Amino acid sequence: MIKFNKELIWLYTWFQILTKGIIGLIIVPIYSLLIKHLIYSSGRPGISSGDFRSFLFSIQGLGLLILTVGLVMVVAAFDINSLIVISALIKENKMKFSARVLFAVSLKSARNLLSFKGIIILAYLAVLAPLTGVGINLSITGNFKIPNFIAEAIQENSVYLTIYTIMFTLLIFISIRYIFTFHYMILGNESIGPAMKKSAALLKGRWIKFILDFFVKKMAVFSIAGIVPVILVYLGTELLFKTNIDIFLKRMTAIFLLIVVSGFVTYFFIMSVPYFFTKLTDILYEYAENGHEKFVFEAYKNVEPVEKTQYIKKSAKIFMLGILILFLISAGIYSVPVAQNFEKIFYTTKNIDIIAHRSGGDLAAENSLEGLLEAIKEGATWSEIDIQRTKDGHYIINHDNDFRRLAGVAKSSEKMDLSEIKKLMIKDHFNSERPARRVATLEEFLDAAKGNIGLYLELKGKTADEKMVDDVIEMVREREMETEIVLISLDYNIIKYIKNKYPEIKSGYLYFFAIGDSDKMIGDYLMMEEREATEKNISSILNKGKRAIVWTVNNEESMKRFIYSSVNGIITDHVQLLKSIMNDMSNMSDLELILDKFLAIGN
């Protein structure tokens, strides 16, 4: 049994190297090149959340849709279909197979997805499953999550939260009920409809048993096996720093061990996928046999069972060992200069702008003048506010489309005169014990901020147009505050208008997703939602001479991650917390700094 498990580990490691290499080095790069060509042919460097609609309804948008569906189908064949084939072959002791035949069977089975139901399943695999964390994920969309600003909006609204909870529960139900759909499609050569029915029938009366067999017994054991080595290395590292050996050796060893642990965790996560399908296949065969059902595995029905348990060639094992040795050598080499430059890398205080979200964040009622004054007291570098136009042409500070959430009035600013709006009182949702505040005008904010704090002026809502740009810039010029403000917007057309007509005014483009060369987009500041703010994207923006800003960062883990990044500014609702974390990091021990940085980067 030990030998069998060892061979299984070798097999799945080799399989993951092959498939992830094909996906990462061939399929995805080709897809990216084709997508970039489509985007360039539409006359733009990239598409993003602020200008994607017109692209989607173009011929290039249709091409992107077709290519994306094809990509998801091929990746599903490698990530799901191939693993089901392997796990079934192992179950039936039919180990004599080649990678070429295996991939051919998997790709052939993917054709079953070329139907309306198939497209729905692909959308579920590519979007819904990773967004909710429910069900099977594809390797290319594993990090696709609900943007934090949307998640926070859901949590703050009881109606949205109820709808999300119902949908989440429904998705869990669907995921479990049809969890064997791919198995029946591939092993039984069924079309999608019959495969879904058979999956539901197999689980009928077995829901509790399945949850115990799979989630409690199988996945719990696997999770514990992965956690224990990490804990042991952590304890070993902690003991290391209590010894009297040279500080350089302590630092170098700790960095080396944490790199190795990071590699182990990554490997363990990759191996969890084949483990997942192997256990599912085991359970499927068990339930089917108990129900007197027999699979006809068409692709390999004439293959005779074999006794041999050596799944892959010795040369492949030597190659994998070579990769492991190369990784360990690289980790050792990398740890030396990091330890030598420890103070410079870990103790250098970065000049990151603290940007208070919606005036002062949680320091007062959102978008209130009082919030701005508190942000100034706290030493924030900038304050971000939302500008809308009233019915009689004035400019006030408010985020939502109406005043229902903050003041209990379901009317928008464009349908109200300034005199009406001035009678409203903004509730403080951060602290209900603090007093409500009046809606402020842009003029009041500009006067209070001048010489005290910079302003990110977001042109917001339906009234955000070229007239708003012209009017706001006129107010700014009257006060000679051109260097103290940045005009920002989610609407890319507004940013283009600012850049063309007022090139001397700093502008910032807000977006929560981008495809193509996003660093070439117009705007002096490119302002990304935190899921989009990878170190690669940040570096690309900085290399183009632009400033990289991330929004809205409200939890401690994310704050640490971006403090360690190259980002220029962090927009947050929690100015005091961000300041506190920055100060605390300067008082950490060596071990705390190393662990903190590795955990922050991992998040």
Side-chain angles (χ1 to χ4, degrees), residues 263-320:
F264 170 79
V265 170
T266 301
Y267 171 77
F268 196 80
F269 175 77
I270 292 172
M271 290 298 287
S272 68
V273 179
Y275 179 86
F276 174 91
F277 282 103
T278 299
K279 295 309 173 185
L280 270 184
T281 302
D282 287 345
I283 292 171
L284 172 66
Y285 272 80
E286 176 191 338
Y287 290 3
E289 289 171 5
N290 291 339
H292 306 290
E293 182 181 347
K294 181 64 177 176
F295 283 116
V296 179
F297 193 178
E298 295 292 340
Y300 286 88
K301 64 181 179 180
N302 296 322
V303 177
E304 294 295 328
V306 295
E307 297 296 330
K308 190 177 181 181
T309 57
Q310 185 174 333
Y311 301 161
I312 60 174
K313 295 179 180 179
K314 187 177 180 180
S315 58
K317 295 180 181 180
I318 294 173
F319 176 78
M320 286 185 278

Side-chain angles (χ1 to χ4, degrees), residues 387 389 393 395 442-443 446 455 457-459 465-489 493-508 524:
I387 304 171
R389 188 167 55 238
Y395 291 94
L442 175 58
E443 291 93 334
L446 291 172
L455 287 178
L457 306 176
E458 182 175 353
L459 312 183
D465 54 16
E466 294 177 3
K467 174 176 171 51
M468 180 184 285
V469 174
D470 297 337
D471 292 345
V472 169
I473 289 178
E474 183 179 348
M475 293 183 199
V476 169
R477 283 176 170 169
E478 287 175 355
R479 293 165 175 79
E480 299 181 345
M481 293 179 65
E482 291 91 336
T483 60
E484 299 178 60
I485 64 97
V486 179
L487 293 186
I488 66 177
S489 178
N493 289 324
I494 286 181
I495 301 301
K496 288 194 289 187
Y497 176 75
I498 296 170
K499 203 63 184 172
N500 289 332
K501 188 171 182 179
Y502 305 101
E504 74 282 5
I505 299 294
K506 297 295 183 184
S507 61
D524 303 292

